[in-house]
């Protein structure tokens, strides 16, 4: 198929050089999408239908066989050999069961080592004599060692996951899922499905995946390209609101106030406070005639624009046209017949421009936020009845800043500027947005994401138990409201595929203290995994535990409180044990990653050494956030976990 595309000759096809460029780029993207993945098989399953799908199911009607794979594959004649996993005919591979065989006689799973077919496994779904057994190939695929970036899960998607993946484009879905339930993979595969089912629409409107940090985005960046989807942009919330350079940081109290949804009202008031009612008429001179628009009529125009609630910038652009229209009405009454060109000329008249500048001056979002945070009087005026005096003091800068460039903006400040920018000019909306690790966003950050999908839909992914910011989400209903998607459906995934039974059971001891209402994850792994708690006498024993786990196949992560990372870096270097930083790709030679607890979220390793759990808790501003950070750190392992500690363990784990 790739060779077919490479051999296309477009010399005499394109009408002009622009079309030729566009066509050449499309061909280039198609070739990239058809790249070989040496260790990824073209198909992983087979469906034998009792009857041809869509055909009359009369007795004697012949069934049909389909191979299911990551991509559609056709032969030299264009006949399909492998059906894309997203096609409707592939759906029973994920949903069919003995209770509801969906007209499937046989479901076959293929097992691979590297790119080589090594096994297969059959289920005769319509045969009442065959008893149901757990799929060993499915279990092996779930437990396969994690080396390198995140991989797709198309061969192992479960029925409850498939329902979310195939939900429609128009609806917003929020997925609450504990560690290892596959929520990130479900979100990414939903994007891939939507691009398949609504390709033309999403090609126009675009899709975006938002992750918590660069390390996480690097980890997931190969999933969609492996499925042939190359056009989905990936970003963090900080990337979206990068109107200014972030060089400062807020303390927790200031960040909580700045992230509160009430700040949106403060900003709205501050933006529209620039509008002043006219006190003087506008006099437009054209030739020998003078046309006068009185102040009361100008005030009516201004009030009408304010009442319509349109963006500040859009109203400012409309104002000169409204004034010009008032002049044209007078011209028509005087017997003239002005047209649109005359109206445009009047709107550009110096007197009209001067009036607009005085009544509705331009607003720079960054300068506005600069004034709010640096001018106590301005902030008090526009937050009256919204923020308390104590809250105003919390967010006010100690000393005024001269300019936007010299200010040490924080990440929360950048979100405020983004809100102000949207009040002035509407933010471009995309067709679909995936928001992962959403539980850590502030209400104002949710609003920033929501602006990117006002005319589209969203997939929100997260776990309330893993919220590790002081402003972490309390309920998903609240989060969806801030996002502007109150109608969104909330789904819960409780079956754990990644974390071993013993590990998730131990970590779940924290749930009553960090998220009392959540259902604990139930591991479906047959292998209980390796789990051990060790009292150590120093860093040498932590390094020894890493060496021990590296004797196994796959990746190993050493997770520690951020303050412990420098000491462990020295210990690993002294022991001659090479290691990587989060986001760097593991290799055959280097399979150990040193992970600060603050960056562990969303990552996974075959084996994990967790250093000093109490230090992880103590590294956060409050105990609940610390315990949530510990819960995240405890649940990164796929096959085994060693917890090392010199001091006492947190009492919540006893």
């Amino acid at each position: 198929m790739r060779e077919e595309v490479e051999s296309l000759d477009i010399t005499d096809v394109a009408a002009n050089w622009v079309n030729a460029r566009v066509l050449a780029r499309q061909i280039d993207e198609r070739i990239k999408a058809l790249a070989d993945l040496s260790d990824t098989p073209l198909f992983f399953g087979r469906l034998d239908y009792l009857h041809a799908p869509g055909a009359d199911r009369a007795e004697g009607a012949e069934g049909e066989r389909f191979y299911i794979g990551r991509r559609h594959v056709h032969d030299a004649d264009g006949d399909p050999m492998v059906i894309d996993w997203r096609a409707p005919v592939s759906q029973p591979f994920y949903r069919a069961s003995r209770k509801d065989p969906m007209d499937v006689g046989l479901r076959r799973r293929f097992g691979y080592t590297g790119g080589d077919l090594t096994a297969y496994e059959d289920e005769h779904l319509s045969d009442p004599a065959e008893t149901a057994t757990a799929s060993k190939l499915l279990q092996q695929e779930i437990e396969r060692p994690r080396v390198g970036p995140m991989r797709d899960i198309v061969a192992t998607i479960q029925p409850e996951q498939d329902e979310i993946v195939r939900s429609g484009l128009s609806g917003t879905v929020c997925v609450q899922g504990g560690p290892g339930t596959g929520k990130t993979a479900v979100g990414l595969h939903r994007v891939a499905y939507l691009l398949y089912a609504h390709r033309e629409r999403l090609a126009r409107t675009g899709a975006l995946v938002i992750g918590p940090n660069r390390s996480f985005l690097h980890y997931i960046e190969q999933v969609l390209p492996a499925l042939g989807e190359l056009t989905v942009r990936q970003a963090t919330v900080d990337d979206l609101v990068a109107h200014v350079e972030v060089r400062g940081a807020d303390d927790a109290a200031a960040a909580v106030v700045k992230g509160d949804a009430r700040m949106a009202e403060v900003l709205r008031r501050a933006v529209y406070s620039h509008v002043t009612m006219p006190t003087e008429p506008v006099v437009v001179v054209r030739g020998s005639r003078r046309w006068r628009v009185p102040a009361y009529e100008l005030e009516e125009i201004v009030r009408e624009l304010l009442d319509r609630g349109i963006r500040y910038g859009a109203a400012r652009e409309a104002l000169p046209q409204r004034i010009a229209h008032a002049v044209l009405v007078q011209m028509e009454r005087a017997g003239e017949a002005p047209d649109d060109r005359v109206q445009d000329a009047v709107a550009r008249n110096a007197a009209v421009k001067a009036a607009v500048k005085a009544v509705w001056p331009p607003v720079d979002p960054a300068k506005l936020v600069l004034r709010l945070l640096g001018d106590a009087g301005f902030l008090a005026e526009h937050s009256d009845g919204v923020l308390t005096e104590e809250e105003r003091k919390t967010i006010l800068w100690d000393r005024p800043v001269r300019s936007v460039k010299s200010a040490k903006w924080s990440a929360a400040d950048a979100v405020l500027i983004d809100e102000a920018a949207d009040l002035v000019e509407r933010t471009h909306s995309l067709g679909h947005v995936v928001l992962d690790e959403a539980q850590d966003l502030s209400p104002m950050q949710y609003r920033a994401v929501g602006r990117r999908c006002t005319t589209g839909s969203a997939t929100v992914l997260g776990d309330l138990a893993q919220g590790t910011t002081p402003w972490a989400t309390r309920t998903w209903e609240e989060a969806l409201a801030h996002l502007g998607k109150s109608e969104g459906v909330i789904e819960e995934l409780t079956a754990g595929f990644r974390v071993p039974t013993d590990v998730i059971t131990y970590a779940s001891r924290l749930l009553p203290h960090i998220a009392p209402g959540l259902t604990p994850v139930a591991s479906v792994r047959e292998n209980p995994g390796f789990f051990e708690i060790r009292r150590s006498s120093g860093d040498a024993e932590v390094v020894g535990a890493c060496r021990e786990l590296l004797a196994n196949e796959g990746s190993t992560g050493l997770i520690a409180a951020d303050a412990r990372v420098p000491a462990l870096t020295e210990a690993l270097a002294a022991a001659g044990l090479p290691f990587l930083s989060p986001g760097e790709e593991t290799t055959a030679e280097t399979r150990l990653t040193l992970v600060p607890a603050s960056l562990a979220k969303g990552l996974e390793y075959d084996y994990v050494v967790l250093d000093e759990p109490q230090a992880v808790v103590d590294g956060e501003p409050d105990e609940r956030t610390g315990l949530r950070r510990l819960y995240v750190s405890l649940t990164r392992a796929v096959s085994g976990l060693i917890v090392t500690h010199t001091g006492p363990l947190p009492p919540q784990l006893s």
Side-chain angles (χ1 to χ4, degrees):
M1 288 169 66
R2 189 175 63 250
E3 287 170 358
E4 275 181 17
V5 181
E6 288 173 339
S7 66
L8 289 174
D9 183 4
I10 61 169
T11 308
D12 299 322
V13 176
N16 54 53
W17 69 270
V18 176
N19 289 349
R21 286 279 181 88
V22 171
L23 195 54
R25 185 167 62 84
Q26 290 175 341
I27 289 172
D28 187 48
E29 287 175 356
R30 176 68 173 156
I31 291 168
K32 287 178 184 174
L34 290 170
D36 279 329
L37 299 172
S38 58
D39 61 344
T40 303
L42 285 173
F43 62 91
F44 51 81
R46 194 183 98 187
L47 287 177
D48 290 6
Y49 279 90
L50 296 175
H51 307 87
D56 181 20
R57 297 190 179 184
E59 194 174 335
E62 193 175 331
E64 209 165 338
R65 172 181 297 170
F66 300 96
Y67 285 87
I68 313 299
R70 286 165 175 77
R71 307 289 307 280
H72 168 83
V73 182
H74 61 249
D75 62 17
D77 297 323
D79 295 324
M81 299 173 70
V82 179
I83 305 297
D84 194 300
W85 66 276
R86 298 167 285 188
V89 79
S90 303
Q91 187 172 324
F93 184 79
Y94 304 105
R95 303 266 187 101
S97 64
R98 279 178 170 72
K99 284 185 180 177
D100 180 16
M102 300 176 74
D103 200 42
V104 174
L106 178 140
R107 173 168 57 200
R108 173 170 290 180
R109 299 182 191 275
F110 294 97
Y112 289 85
T113 302
D116 299 326
L117 176 63
T118 53
Y120 67 88
E121 190 178 73
D122 288 347
E123 295 173 272
H124 296 87
L125 297 176
S126 301
D127 185 355
E130 189 175 288
T131 56
T133 56
S135 169
K136 286 187 171 55
L137 288 179
L138 193 62
Q139 200 69 33
Q140 288 170 10
E141 176 65 21
I142 289 171
E143 296 178 10
R144 189 153 57 94
R146 264 72 171 164
V147 177
M150 183 181 180
R151 58 176 182 256
D152 65 72
I153 61 160
V154 288
T156 62
I157 292 173
Q158 299 300 293
E160 65 273 17
Q161 294 174 327
D162 191 62
E163 283 186 30
I164 298 170
V165 167
R166 294 177 193 266
S167 53
L169 176 61
S170 59
T172 288
V173 179
C174 175
V175 183
Q176 158 63 41
T181 53
K183 57 186 177 295
T184 296
V186 165
L188 294 173
H189 286 68
R190 186 175 183 222
V191 174
Y193 171 77
L194 293 175
L195 285 165
Y196 174 89
H198 307 278
R199 190 167 301 281
E200 199 171 299
R201 180 172 167 185
L202 285 177
R204 293 195 309 271
T205 56
L208 171 69
V209 174
I210 302 172
N213 51 56
R214 284 273 140 217
S215 297
F216 179 83
L217 292 178
H218 182 70
Y219 177 61
I220 67 169
E221 67 184 358
Q222 295 304 318
V223 175
L224 291 170
L227 300 174
E229 302 300 345
L230 306 173
T231 59
V232 180
R233 184 182 155 216
Q234 296 183 351
T236 64
V237 173
D238 290 345
D239 294 333
L240 299 181
V241 300
H243 303 282
V244 291
E245 184 184 357
V246 173
R247 298 186 293 133
D250 291 310
D251 59 34
V256 168
V257 177
K258 288 179 180 180
D260 194 296
R262 292 174 297 160
M263 288 300 297
E265 173 60 18
V266 176
L267 288 163
R268 190 195 66 77
R269 291 181 183 180
V271 167
Y272 284 93
S273 70
H274 290 78
V275 179
T276 56
M277 289 302 158
T279 56
E280 299 290 333
V282 172
V283 179
V284 176
V285 178
R286 283 184 60 80
S288 60
R289 300 293 301 271
R290 292 162 60 87
W291 307 99
R292 184 175 179 275
V293 182
Y296 74 85
E297 191 173 341
L298 292 173
E299 184 176 336
E300 286 177 5
I301 294 171
V302 171
R303 291 195 184 281
E304 184 199 348
L305 287 171
L306 286 172
D307 291 343
R308 287 184 60 191
I310 59 178
R311 295 292 193 281
Y312 184 93
R316 188 175 186 275
E317 289 177 4
L319 182 56
Q321 289 290 338
R322 294 297 179 88
I323 296 172
H325 177 72
V327 171
L328 259 66
V329 169
Q330 294 184 28
M331 289 180 175
E332 288 169 350
R333 285 175 184 161
E336 295 189 21
D339 57 16
D340 289 347
R341 288 173 297 177
V342 174
Q343 180 165 331
D344 289 341
V346 172
R348 294 194 301 270
N349 182 276
V352 173
K353 284 184 176 181
V356 170
K357 188 176 181 181
V359 171
W360 211 296
V363 170
D364 181 290
K367 288 180 180 177
L368 177 84
V369 175
L370 186 82
R371 187 179 175 194
L372 265 179
L373 300 178
D375 184 337
F378 189 66
L379 177 61
E381 180 186 351
H382 301 300
S383 62
D384 183 40
V386 180
L387 301 180
T388 65
E389 182 62 32
E390 190 60 36
E391 287 172 326
R392 285 196 281 269
K393 287 179 182 176
T394 302
I395 63 173
L396 263 174
W397 287 335
D398 295 334
R399 62 190 69 173
V401 179
R402 287 187 177 183
S403 68
V404 169
K405 286 189 177 179
S406 63
K408 288 190 175 180
W409 298 107
S410 69
D413 296 336
V415 177
L416 296 179
I417 294 170
D418 190 69
E419 179 84 26
D422 184 70
L423 287 165
V424 174
E425 189 174 338
R426 184 182 295 277
T427 305
H428 173 68
S429 176
L430 299 163
H432 194 77
V433 170
V434 175
L435 176 61
D436 205 353
E437 300 294 352
Q439 73 280 346
D440 278 333
L441 268 62
S442 70
M444 290 299 284
Q445 286 176 315
Y446 277 117
R447 290 175 62 87
V449 174
R451 286 192 282 278
R452 271 76 188 175
C453 55
T454 49
T455 57
S457 55
T459 302
V460 182
L461 312 164
D463 179 11
L464 296 178
Q466 296 186 59
T468 51
T469 55
W471 51 83
T473 304
R474 289 175 293 187
T475 68
W476 289 122
E477 289 83 1
E478 194 178 298
L480 288 170
H482 291 313
L483 199 67
K485 304 292 181 185
S486 299
E487 77 291 346
V489 177
I490 300 170
E491 303 281 359
E492 189 170 8
L493 296 175
T494 57
F497 303 98
R498 171 169 55 79
V499 187
T501 305
D502 290 353
V503 175
I504 196 65
T505 301
Y506 183 69
S508 294
R509 293 181 184 183
L510 297 173
L511 283 179
H513 307 281
I514 59 176
L518 287 188
T519 306
V521 172
S523 178
V524 298
R525 299 273 296 273
E526 290 183 352
N527 179 4
F530 171 73
F531 175 55
E532 197 175 320
I533 302 172
R534 297 179 183 176
R535 182 174 283 279
S536 73
S537 57
D539 295 345
E541 291 188 33
V542 178
V543 174
C546 293
R547 282 195 189 279
E548 183 182 326
L549 293 181
L550 285 168
N552 299 302
E553 185 183 3
S555 59
T556 296
L558 170 55
I559 302 177
D562 292 31
R564 289 272 297 140
V565 169
L568 292 172
T569 298
E570 285 185 22
L572 291 170
L577 202 57
F579 63 93
L580 304 165
S581 298
E584 293 180 339
E585 204 166 308
T586 52
T587 64
E589 297 76 28
T590 309
R591 295 180 289 115
L592 174 65
T593 305
L594 176 57
V595 187
S598 61
L599 295 181
K601 192 172 295 179
L603 305 179
E604 58 183 37
Y605 301 93
D606 288 291
Y607 295 90
V608 167
V609 176
L610 175 59
D611 169 74
E612 296 295 352
Q614 188 61 53
V616 174
V617 177
D618 294 341
E620 298 298 327
D622 60 85
E623 186 180 64
R624 191 188 74 157
T625 304
L627 290 173
R628 287 182 167 188
R629 184 76 71 191
L630 178 58
Y631 181 72
V632 171
S633 301
L634 282 167
T635 53
R636 300 303 95 201
V638 176
S639 298
L641 170 67
I642 296 175
V643 177
T644 61
H645 64 106
T646 54
L649 290 169
Q652 293 85 352
L653 285 175
S654 62

